[in-house]
Amino acid sequence: MLLIPCPWCGPRPEGEFVNLGEAVPPRPADPAALADDVWVETLIMRANVRGPHVERWWHQRSCGRIFAIERDTLTHAIRPLDPEARP
Amino acid sequence: MTATRLPAGGLIDRSRPIAFRFDGLALTGFAGDTLAAALLANDVAVVGRSFKLHRPRGVFGAGIDDPNTTVTRLAPRPATNLRATTTPIEAGAEYRSVGTWPNARHDLGAVAGAFGRLLPAGFYYKTFMAPNWHLFEPFIRAAAGLGRVPEAAWQPVSESRFGDCDLLVVGAGPAGLAAALAGARAGLRTILADDGERPGGRLLDEGPAARAWIDATVAELDGLHTLRRMPRSTVWGHHEQGFVSLLERAPPDAPDLDFRHWKLRAGAIVVAAGAFERSIAFADNDRPGVMLASAAGHYLDRYGVRPGADVLAFATNDSGYGPAFALAAAGAAVRIADARDTVDPALARAAAAAGIDLRPGTVVERALGRSRVAGAVLTGPGGRTERVACDLIAVAGGWNPAFHLASHSRRVRSVWNEALATFTAGDCPPDLVVVGAARGSFATEDCVREGWQAAAAIAAGLGRTGGPVAPPEGPEAPVTRAVAPLFLVPPAKPGAKLFVDLANDVTTADLGLALREGYRSIELVKRYTTAGMGIDQGKTGNVSVIAVVGALTGAAPGDVGTTTFRPPYAPVEFGAIAGARAEARLYPWRQTPLADWHLAAGGVIYEAGLRWQRPGYYPRAGEDYRTAAAREARAVREAVGVYDGTPLGRFRLKGPDVPALLDLVYVNDFASLAPGRGRYGIMLTDDGLILDDGVTFRLDETHWLLHSSTGAADRVHLHLEQILQVHRPDWRVSLIPVTSQWANATLCGPRARDVLAALNPDFDIAPAALPFMATVEGHVGGLPVRVCRVSWTGELSFELNTPARHAVELWQRIMAAGAPFGITPVGSEANHILRVEAGYISTGHEVDGTADVIDLGLGGMVSRRKADFIGKRSMELRRRLDPERFELVGLLPADPNRLVPEGAPLTPGGAATDQEGFVSACVASVALGRVVGLGLLKRGRARLGETVHARVRDEIVPLTVVPPVFHDADRTRVKS
Amino acid sequence: MQRYSIYSLVRNALTHHEGWQRAWRSPPLKRRYQVVIVGAGGHGLSTAYHLAKEHGLTDVAVLEKGWLGGGNTARNTHTIRSNYIRDVSIRFHDVSVKLYEQMSRELNFNILFSQRSMIDLIQSFGKLRDLRRRSLAMALHGPQYQLISVDELQRRIPAMGSLDQVRLPPLAGMVHPEAAMARHDAVAWSYARAADARGVEIHQHTEVTGFVRGPDGAVTGVETNRGTVSADIVALATAGSTSDVARRAGLSLPLVTRNLQAFVSEPVKPLIDVIVNCPDVGLYLMQSDKGEIVIGGGTDPYPSYRQGSHFATFEDTVASLVELFPRFKALKMLRQWGGAIEFAYDASPIISKTDLPGLLVSTGWYGGFKSIPVGGLTFAHLIATGTPHPLAEAFGLDRFTGLKFLLEAGTVAQR
């Protein structure tokens, strides 16, 4: 059971959170402007990193904030990221 | 009689004899005995039979690592696969050896031994193929397995608990005691867990001075408020970030509990779990009477049981001498075969003084005897062989450190240690330290120092340095050091059985066969031979297997590799892990405030999504669900019904950017919605598939109420939060889920307005004032309500939302006010009929994860004004590249009474071939008096009037394709 | 290939089993092969075998960074079934079951294939609807999936306790008689031995560290810890590591890797004859021939390569287990572990060419043990002929360019 460092609440057990997966870039402002293959790639491709993985978590059962951390998908070692940055 | 209870000694209570039965024998032991100790005290040599060959087996070890002594307890608390070495005897208990018939002494299964030659490693891979495996499998299955799970099996009572500490010390031997003392003195909240009953570990077997030291240390520990000492507590798994699983047996503060399972977060962990002694592979090294030297010493010291009168100790290191001296002092004749050519002169002198026949440079080539050891063949210097008589072979093959827990976390590696001829823990991070024998330090003074230093360093790292800084003086005790790396004594005769894994009957020949056949990687060897996969999970055998494979392949053991230590450290009962989470706590329901009312009214309640319970129907006497649902649906069509709409997901949105948010998430336009009005919307995911549908009201300029379907509430919540926090953090929107804040009673049917009027509303309910898709806030008979004009039934409907605390009051008033109009409570089954008749789509039926909005005939909703909404790009792309879609249609079975199972595939002509659609819903319509259905059909909208075919297994059901609405097609009733 | 039989076993017993030949060779690694398969798990070895058997292609090397069959083949819970909802999935897995039925005899290696049937416990109406739809779709193509009553359910699973107190009382069961289990290691070994006998080379402890690219960008070989090996075709069968391996060729894939855990009890005498699956509570179990109860649950709730046990998921699974089987409360867990499962975006398999000429991929195997025979058969077809096997046309990466997902989930939610 992981301890997730919520930038707003401190370390909390993972049961309070929902993992949102890889921190893919924000949705393009104008999807219509993208070529088909570019759009499909942004939609479905994942780096799926084996190692340090920047991902989003939603602190659903507490403060409700979404934030990004770096978690090693092999060891679960966690590194907090700048909480002021856009998640 | 060769094993015997001595007249004095041991940590047992001789004033309390305990009678029990084993394999039908009536036996007596003393309070404090384990079953293994009591069996030895009664000179029961054969305790079980081996897993594959059914060879007789006796007590071999003294703890969780014993591979031989698995028993079933028939009474009390029937349970199987108990280890006799860890099971305390109980008065009146009845135990039985496992897998034997009629008993362990005389076992018919031993006939397997006669065919032993035909059963090499992996024999089953090479035969039993023709005609097929099923012919042979039942016999193999019946022969395999250990105990039989009793019919009325014991169901232990357990609770789960969370805990945390600064320092967790695993193991209360000398290293662990010292670590706990250092940590607790320095003010660290320290837990000292040990799987045994008494603290002290191996020191307990090393004489009175050692015991005095233990007592003094424990006395000090027990006086420290920072320390929690947990006996009978096994740390069985170490996960990550200091999170460990700890099983506490018979917690002292809760006599009603069998187990307490701890989920423990430790700031730092000191692993001081000791080491397991290992055996040596020699011919017939599995005979009853072959025992680990430490176990022999343990039974003598701890239980006053001398396991043999004529002892042959077989040592590769000094640790075999302690038990040998103790056995000699207890009156046994003792001979030591020491594999080393030279023995420490002091030890040799001590041996001579004790009258022990010491044979340096000598190994045991073979054990003699069948159902118990009767002698041994020794090979001495120059290859000289000699037969000697003995009734106990005490094997001291070296020690395998128990650093499993450090390894579980994968932060500490295994490294081969030449001097100790075993694997030890590699470098440790500061918060996970392995000390003492678990690290390969066997001298007591080293253990004490390492334990102390590890905990002191952890305390110092946290800025805590209270208490004395010097380690306590350790007790005097024999010292064990280097080991002669002897794992295998080559047999004189071919075909001899030299066991490397007693639990699974794996011999050196099996290892050789695996290697010969090309299974050369250690993992392949182990999987092919099953070595290390038995009930001891390789605790006694793993290192030997690796070393023997190394010897056979000419590789250094460190290069052969090691295997992963996997949790659990020791087997752990499923009931302990589950704790009290069974039954009601396993799967908590969400209930509406009206649940009691529904039950009292005879409602049948089941899940409606996301664990919400809702009435499915309210059967009257003689009704089944179909007739009940039909009656309820008819009431809605003809008069008025009321249903509990509380579980529907609700979100309150506020802020200037709500219109932008809604326009992004819904396919249709929302910005234009006027205050006081609502609109049905469909939201997609960005891959163009439907996420959910529902009605959103604009309550005032900036304040909105969004509804989701019951089962999708969490998904919708997450979807909106992701947009607001990740994709459009600049938008000013406040989003609050308010589902359970409100209760909802929905009036539906032509008389719905009459009922509402009878409830005495303080607002105008005339169609002009409160039209379809309008909302108003007010009171009915003084109760606050928000009324929404939404319909999912195809009838005039009013949703009455009230704060949850008023739910029962409102509902009762509705029932009273509605009585003159024939109001009927309506469940989800009737709702299903009504919505199918009206042609409304439903998540889980038509919305099956593949259809898009246009497929469902709702293309008209899709905004032409908006340049973008979530899902637009993908939906357009998909439709452009593959225009052949499955589209929503109505379906009328040719036989008007034929209900087609929902989900039935539609295929061309009803052939057994690929699907061209499926029946998504099919009900007996009360409005039409016949069966109607909905379905998704390839190019369905172009096929109205066509006859299509559902295939229900071997039956072909013709259906006519019609538009997907059967009632109130122009929605005049809904809008009335 | 040395023939295995009861006679050869008896013959070899007389010489203390000294005469058994190697199951596969350890030939020197050549500099060039027609086909290099990366990954000697079940899928890689099955592909190699079918290349040799069906297409006569034997200039094939299977490169494995660890030991053969040591990835998910060694870690799965060895269940074989074909209860799917989409036509292509049903047909594909039905062929796999049929190939499994023949495998022991075809490969002369007993994989302990045991067709014990699987019973799904249905504990919600949503699941009932979902499985009924599956059952009717399956009936179009052959595999059986039959609804049974709760009484029949209890008759077939006598170890189950009283259902009165169960939080989600079973409503019915669904029986899939073709479902089976087999010894997972033996599947890898039998294919390895048979492929080797046909001339395929298997190279263990040979890790692919990079790719050799031609002037046109095509993949023309691999770099390994034992040197460069060139090949006309490089085929990835690297479950668990496919994203990583493909990245070395500059290729992105729509994959997410998750941990799927399993655990076993101590061995006990026969107690459960069938495979029991409880999709509503996330639990499945069966008893191995050795007597261990093999138990699995859901995947971890986040991407992971950790191959361990996620505690909360584990605890939920155990709680569900002892609720349905209270007799198991005193039974002990012996061992637990996890495997790294790759999910494609639509959770269906990928057997496909890639944007890089010369590089092919077989991935997205969730529960891929059941697909080993047909996965190898169809991947070999693609490798040898350059065109998808008719059974696997839907599994190409090209389905994603049109967002034409192959969604197996059936229903997404309940009414």
Side-chain angles (χ1 to χ4, degrees):
Chain A
M1 194 166 6
L2 301 177
L3 268 186
I4 307 287
C6 172
W8 319 100
C9 309
R12 296 290 190 94
E14 76 174 71
E16 294 181 6
F17 299 84
V18 175
N19 178 279
L20 308 184
E22 195 168 313
V24 294
R27 187 173 184 274
D30 184 10
L34 302 177
D36 282 355
D37 56 342
V38 177
W39 168 249
V40 169
E41 253 183 51
T42 56
L43 194 65
I44 66 169
M45 292 303 178
R46 295 290 177 272
N48 196 28
V49 175
R50 177 197 188 94
H53 179 254
V54 179
E55 62 186 10
R56 296 193 184 102
W57 290 80
W58 179 29
H59 202 176
Q60 185 195 23
R61 292 171 190 90
S62 187
C63 68
R65 297 293 289 262
I66 293 174
F67 56 91
I69 56 171
E70 186 187 275
R71 178 179 57 93
D72 190 310
T73 55
L74 206 52
T75 64
H76 291 338
I78 290 173
R79 197 168 66 86
L81 300 175
D82 177 10
E84 297 304 323
R86 180 163 160 163
Chain B
M1 291 284 282
T2 58
T4 185
R5 176 96 66 185
L6 299 175
L11 301 174
I12 47 171
D13 183 352
R14 290 178 188 255
S15 68
R16 286 172 58 207
I18 289 181
F20 66 97
R21 295 175 75 84
F22 174 78
D23 270 5
L25 301 170
L27 305 171
T28 308
F30 290 117
D33 269 339
T34 61
L35 177 57
L39 290 173
L40 281 172
N42 286 278
D43 197 29
V44 176
V46 182
V47 173
R49 292 274 167 167
S50 71
F51 192 75
K52 187 163 102 178
L53 303 173
H54 282 249
R55 289 165 66 99
R57 292 281 171 82
V59 175
F60 176 79
I64 58 165
D65 53 327
D66 185 274
N68 286 350
T69 61
T70 304
V71 299
T72 300
R73 183 174 59 215
L74 300 172
R77 292 170 287 118
T80 193
N81 288 8
L82 304 175
R83 235 60 87 225
T85 50
T86 58
T87 304
I89 53 168
E90 293 172 79
E94 177 159 11
Y95 307 95
R96 208 193 173 295
S97 56
V98 305
T100 62
W101 197 85
N103 57 48
R105 285 157 287 148
H106 311 284
D107 172 37
L108 281 188
V111 70
F115 295 103
R117 260 197 190 190
L118 291 177
L119 311 176
F123 68 94
Y124 33 81
Y125 298 132
K126 293 181 175 133
T127 181
F128 305 139
M129 285 174 269
N132 65 53
W133 168 238
H134 289 126
L135 195 66
F136 305 95
E137 190 185 23
F139 300 100
I140 298 282
R141 277 175 89 84
L146 290 170
R148 192 174 302 284
V149 174
E151 196 69 43
W154 175 42
Q155 294 187 23
V157 179
S158 173
E159 72 171 16
S160 295
R161 218 180 251 195
F162 287 94
D164 73 286
C165 61
D166 299 323
L167 173 65
L168 170 66
V169 179
V170 183
L177 287 169
L181 195 59
R185 273 192 193 164
L188 299 185
R189 292 174 306 120
T190 302
I191 290 177
L192 173 60
D194 188 275
D195 58 4
E197 182 71 40
R198 301 177 68 105
R202 210 160 48 77
L203 270 188
L204 281 173
D205 302 339
E206 295 191 355
R211 282 190 199 157
W213 182 84
I214 296 166
D215 291 345
T217 309
V218 170
E220 182 180 351
L221 284 172
D222 286 350
L224 293 170
H225 72 279
T226 44
L227 187 101
R228 182 189 182 107
R229 196 160 62 75
M230 299 178 69
R232 299 182 300 279
S233 294
T234 306
V235 181
W236 65 261
H238 176 199
H239 311 285
E240 64 274 314
Q241 295 173 308
F243 181 66
V244 301
S245 304
L246 186 158
L247 178 65
E248 183 182 14
R249 294 179 179 78
D253 58 315
D256 57 319
L257 285 181
D258 297 299
F259 301 115
R260 182 179 285 140
H261 188 248
W262 289 84
K263 295 178 261 188
L264 193 64
R265 182 84 60 181
I269 301 173
V270 171
V271 177
F276 294 106
E277 194 167 38
R278 65 177 180 239
S279 187
I280 299 165
F282 55 86
D284 292 330
N285 61 337
D286 66 325
R287 294 302 187 202
V290 177
M291 186 183 284
L292 294 172
S294 57
H298 175 86
Y299 289 113
L300 183 65
D301 225 45
R302 202 81 64 95
Y303 304 100
V305 174
R306 195 186 66 202
D310 194 359
V311 179
L312 170 63
F314 180 15
T316 61
N317 67 97
D318 291 354
S319 75
Y321 284 72
F325 292 162
L327 287 161
V334 178
R335 177 182 286 117
I336 298 178
D338 194 321
R340 299 170 296 184
D341 291 332
T342 52
V343 174
D344 179 75
L347 274 181
R349 276 195 301 278
I356 291 173
D357 173 11
L358 173 60
R359 310 282 191 85
T362 301
V363 296
V364 176
E365 187 268 320
R366 180 154 44 111
L368 302 172
R370 186 171 160 73
S371 59
R372 67 192 312 164
V373 166
V377 177
L378 303 182
T379 306
R384 197 168 48 82
T385 63
E386 180 188 359
R387 289 171 90 95
V388 298
C390 60
D391 60 7
L392 176 73
I393 301 178
V395 186
W399 293 83
N400 298 332
F403 57 101
H404 303 58
L405 283 172
S407 178
H408 285 175
S409 73
R410 304 197 201 147
R411 295 167 68 207
V412 174
R413 300 198 162 279
S414 305
V415 292
W416 181 255
N417 181 314
E418 282 295 339
L420 299 170
T422 191
F423 290 96
T424 52
D427 293 338
C428 295
D431 60 338
L432 176 59
V433 188
V434 182
V435 297
R439 189 191 169 193
S441 302
F442 294 103
T444 304
E445 70 217 46
D446 294 343
C447 293
V448 169
R449 192 185 61 251
E450 282 175 18
W452 178 273
Q453 285 175 346
I458 289 162
L462 294 169
R464 311 275 187 80
T465 50
V469 291
E473 194 146 316
E476 285 195 23
V479 169
T480 58
R481 294 192 197 280
V483 173
L486 178 72
F487 292 92
L488 167 77
V489 179
K493 281 193 266 180
K497 294 210 178 304
L498 293 71
F499 289 87
V500 285
D501 181 328
L502 291 169
N504 268 358
D505 264 0
V506 181
T507 65
T508 52
D510 292 325
L511 301 181
L513 175 63
L515 293 168
R516 216 159 34 244
E517 293 195 82
Y519 300 83
R520 298 187 73 83
S521 171
I522 188 66
E523 283 289 348
L524 289 175
V525 171
K526 295 177 76 168
R527 284 168 175 271
Y528 191 63
T529 63
T530 74
M533 303 204 163
I535 47 158
D536 68 343
Q537 288 292 288
K539 287 193 181 65
T540 49
N542 257 358
V543 176
S544 306
V545 168
I546 289 168
V548 171
V549 167
L552 292 173
T553 56
D559 296 334
V560 171
T562 179
T563 48
T564 327
F565 290 112
R566 290 201 174 108
Y569 169 69
V572 47
E573 286 82 355
F574 288 122
I577 295 160
R581 284 192 61 224
E583 291 103 40
R585 282 168 294 273
L586 173 61
Y587 199 83
W589 290 115
R590 291 170 168 174
Q591 291 186 326
T592 81
L594 299 166
D596 289 342
W597 190 93
H598 298 315
L599 288 173
V604 177
I605 281 188
Y606 42 83
E607 175 163 357
L610 280 186
R611 300 186 184 177
W612 277 103
Q613 283 193 323
R614 243 181 81 177
Y617 54 103
Y618 303 82
R620 292 180 182 165
E623 286 184 336
D624 64 5
Y625 84 91
R626 279 212 174 107
T627 46
R631 171 180 51 73
E632 293 166 21
R634 206 170 299 115
V636 173
R637 288 277 175 258
E638 292 166 4
V640 62
V642 59
Y643 65 86
D644 181 357
T646 304
L648 211 61
R650 294 175 193 81
F651 298 90
R652 207 193 74 150
L653 294 157
K654 201 165 184 178
D657 293 313
V658 176
L661 171 68
L662 297 177
D663 272 352
L664 182 63
V665 299
Y666 282 120
V667 303
N668 42 339
D669 292 321
F670 274 81
S672 58
L673 193 65
R677 293 306 171 100
R679 189 166 286 163
Y680 172 73
I682 291 188
M683 54 176 83
L684 312 182
T685 44
D686 230 339
D687 53 16
L689 299 173
I690 293 177
L691 174 69
D692 194 37
D693 63 342
V695 175
T696 295
F697 286 95
R698 186 172 207 165
L699 304 180
D700 57 39
E701 195 57 39
T702 61
H703 183 179
W704 303 67
L705 181 64
L706 181 152
H707 291 89
S708 76
S709 45
T710 301
D714 284 354
R715 282 202 302 277
V716 168
H717 188 192
L718 172 58
H719 185 64
L720 298 175
E721 286 287 3
Q722 270 188 291
I723 293 162
L724 291 172
Q725 296 192 47
V726 177
H727 301 299
R728 303 311 296 260
D730 49 322
W731 279 353
R732 292 169 60 204
V733 175
S734 137
L735 165 69
I736 303 173
V738 294
T739 301
S740 51
Q741 218 173 85
W742 298 91
N744 171 313
T746 298
L747 296 168
C748 45
R751 308 303 299 271
R753 187 172 282 111
D754 298 331
V755 177
L756 182 55
L759 284 167
N760 198 12
D762 64 357
F763 47 90
D764 189 352
I765 62 169
L770 184 58
F772 183 58
M773 283 293 174
T775 182
V776 65
E777 211 169 349
H779 296 80
V780 291
L783 291 179
V785 290
R786 168 169 292 287
V787 178
C788 299
R789 284 273 326 257
V790 180
S791 176
W792 203 52
T793 56
E795 297 296 337
L796 167 67
S797 292
F798 297 89
E799 281 186 3
L800 274 60
N801 298 283
T802 191
R805 65 184 183 281
H806 299 306
V808 176
E809 174 77 25
L810 176 66
W811 189 273
Q812 283 168 344
R813 288 194 203 178
I814 288 172
M815 293 311 294
F821 306 98
I823 197 162
T824 302
V826 172
S828 51
E829 296 300 332
N831 255 314
H832 181 53
I833 297 172
L834 296 164
R835 75 98 189 160
V836 171
E837 289 179 342
Y840 293 127
I841 59 167
S842 162
T843 311
H845 287 87
E846 293 73 32
V847 182
D848 78 333
T850 62
D852 71 17
V853 194
I854 300 170
D855 299 334
L856 296 180
L858 300 170
M861 285 174 60
V862 178
S863 169
R864 278 154 201 73
R865 180 188 63 82
K866 293 193 282 194
D868 182 30
F869 56 82
I870 289 179
K872 178 180 163 80
R873 180 76 176 83
S874 294
M875 183 172 75
E876 289 175 354
L877 185 154
R878 183 182 295 116
R879 298 188 72 88
R880 170 158 45 84
L881 295 180
D882 184 14
E884 283 226 328
R885 306 285 303 168
F886 283 22
E887 294 166 340
L888 182 70
V889 294
L891 297 167
L892 294 177
D895 171 357
N897 297 315
R898 177 68 168 95
L899 275 168
V900 183
E902 291 178 356
L906 300 170
T907 67
T913 180
D914 283 7
Q915 304 165 63
E916 59 168 351
F918 68 100
V919 178
S920 58
C922 188
V923 299
S925 164
V926 295
L928 277 66
R930 60 156 298 150
V931 169
V932 304
L934 296 174
L936 284 137
L937 176 68
K938 190 182 270 188
R939 295 179 294 101
R941 280 197 288 275
R943 298 168 67 177
L944 296 182
E946 204 178 294
T947 297
V948 295
H949 299 87
R951 184 169 177 112
V952 184
R953 303 193 187 281
D954 292 330
E955 192 192 352
I956 297 168
V957 183
L959 307 123
T960 307
V961 181
V962 298
V965 54
F966 303 98
H967 170 78
D968 193 34
D970 55 3
R971 306 295 190 217
T972 48
R973 292 167 76 100
V974 166
K975 294 178 180 171
S976 63
Chain C
M1 194 166 80
Q2 186 180 23
R3 183 110 196 124
Y4 291 163
S5 70
I6 184 70
Y7 308 108
S8 65
L9 198 62
V10 171
R11 223 170 23 249
N12 277 282
L14 300 176
T15 54
H16 299 291
H17 301 286
E18 298 285 342
W20 290 108
Q21 293 169 10
R22 298 194 56 149
W24 42 78
R25 302 157 296 152
S26 296
L29 183 65
K30 294 193 296 187
R31 291 299 103 192
R32 187 188 151 71
Y33 297 89
Q34 212 171 340
V35 178
V36 162
I37 296 170
V38 187
H43 277 275
L45 293 166
S46 166
T47 302
Y49 169 75
H50 285 102
L51 274 175
K53 179 186 172 228
E54 304 290 335
H55 306 281
L57 271 176
T58 57
D59 187 16
V60 176
V62 187
L63 309 185
E64 167 58 51
K65 74 173 172 186
W67 37 283
L68 70 87
N72 286 340
T73 304
R75 295 167 167 273
N76 71 85
T77 49
H78 48 67
T79 308
I80 297 157
R81 58 180 178 84
S82 57
N83 55 334
Y84 282 79
I85 200 165
R86 309 288 167 207
D87 298 308
V88 291
S89 309
I90 299 167
R91 276 201 307 264
F92 185 78
H93 289 104
D94 186 39
V95 169
S96 209
V97 170
K98 293 194 164 85
L99 290 171
Y100 260 122
E101 288 169 354
Q102 304 304 321
M103 196 187 296
S104 292
R105 265 163 296 168
E106 179 179 333
L107 305 181
N108 181 232
F109 196 113
N110 190 355
I111 60 160
L112 313 187
F113 177 79
S114 175
Q115 216 151 16
R116 322 191 64 78
S117 84
M118 180 169 84
I119 299 183
D120 285 291
L121 250 68
I122 300 173
Q123 294 172 273
S124 73
F125 287 98
K127 191 55 70 179
L128 175 62
R129 193 163 53 239
D130 180 12
L131 297 194
R132 189 175 48 207
R133 185 174 163 197
R134 269 199 223 188
S135 135
L136 294 168
M138 287 162 64
L140 298 174
H141 301 288
Q144 299 290 301
Y145 204 36
Q146 294 142 352
L147 201 67
I148 56 169
S149 68
V150 174
D151 286 347
E152 178 65 10
L153 196 67
Q154 287 182 299
R155 198 187 64 74
R156 294 193 189 211
I157 316 172
M160 205 158 56
S162 150
L163 299 176
D164 302 344
Q165 294 300 310
V166 172
R167 195 64 174 161
L168 281 179
L171 306 167
M174 198 68 94
V175 183
H176 182 29
E178 289 92 343
M181 56 195 212
R183 174 84 187 143
H184 47 10
D185 294 328
V187 171
W189 300 340
S190 60
Y191 273 129
R193 174 166 165 268
D196 174 271
R198 288 175 184 267
V200 169
E201 293 181 7
I202 300 162
H203 296 281
Q204 300 179 68
H205 309 291
T206 306
E207 181 173 8
V208 170
T209 54
F211 291 85
V212 186
R213 307 285 289 271
D216 57 345
V219 170
T220 58
V222 292
E223 311 279 0
T224 79
N225 58 333
R226 298 171 61 196
T228 302
V229 177
S230 55
D232 297 340
I233 289 177
V234 176
L236 303 185
T238 45
S241 311
T242 308
S243 294
D244 248 24
V245 176
R247 191 168 11 253
R248 288 173 212 161
L251 181 70
S252 294
L253 291 168
L255 296 175
V256 173
T257 298
R258 285 178 187 273
N259 179 57
L260 180 64
Q261 65 177 311
F263 46 98
V264 297
S265 74
E266 293 183 339
V268 290
K269 288 293 175 198
L271 194 58
I272 297 183
D273 281 342
V274 299
I275 302 164
V276 180
N277 182 38
C278 311
D280 284 294
V281 294
L283 162 76
Y284 59 90
L285 63 151
M286 72 207 73
Q287 189 167 17
S288 73
D289 285 339
K290 197 183 167 191
E292 296 169 336
I293 314 281
V294 182
I295 302 157
T299 52
D300 291 6
Y302 37 77
S304 172
Y305 288 85
R306 166 124 166 117
Q307 298 189 319
S309 173
H310 180 256
F311 194 83
T313 308
F314 167 68
E315 201 180 22
D316 285 350
T317 308
V318 174
S320 299
L321 172 76
V322 298
E323 196 204 15
L324 285 167
F325 296 88
R327 280 171 79 190
F328 291 7
K329 279 187 182 176
L331 196 63
K332 284 167 282 180
M333 173 173 74
L334 185 61
R335 184 170 69 247
Q336 61 181 163
W337 69 93
I341 311 289
E342 285 166 351
F343 287 86
Y345 186 86
D346 59 359
S348 281
I350 294 171
I351 303 172
S352 185
K353 295 183 177 181
T354 68
D355 288 345
L356 303 177
L359 185 66
L360 278 62
V361 62
S362 167
T363 180
W365 298 109
Y366 168 41
F369 177 73
K370 67 171 108 57
S371 320
I372 284 173
V374 74
L377 176 80
T378 54
F379 197 29
H381 184 97
L382 180 68
I383 292 167
T385 68
T387 54
H389 189 283
L391 282 170
E393 279 167 354
F395 298 137
L397 276 167
D398 53 356
R399 72 182 185 264
F400 294 106
T401 58
L403 298 175
K404 199 173 175 179
F405 303 138
L406 194 57
L407 292 164
E408 261 306 319
T411 59
V412 292
Q414 295 159 359
R415 176 163 94 233

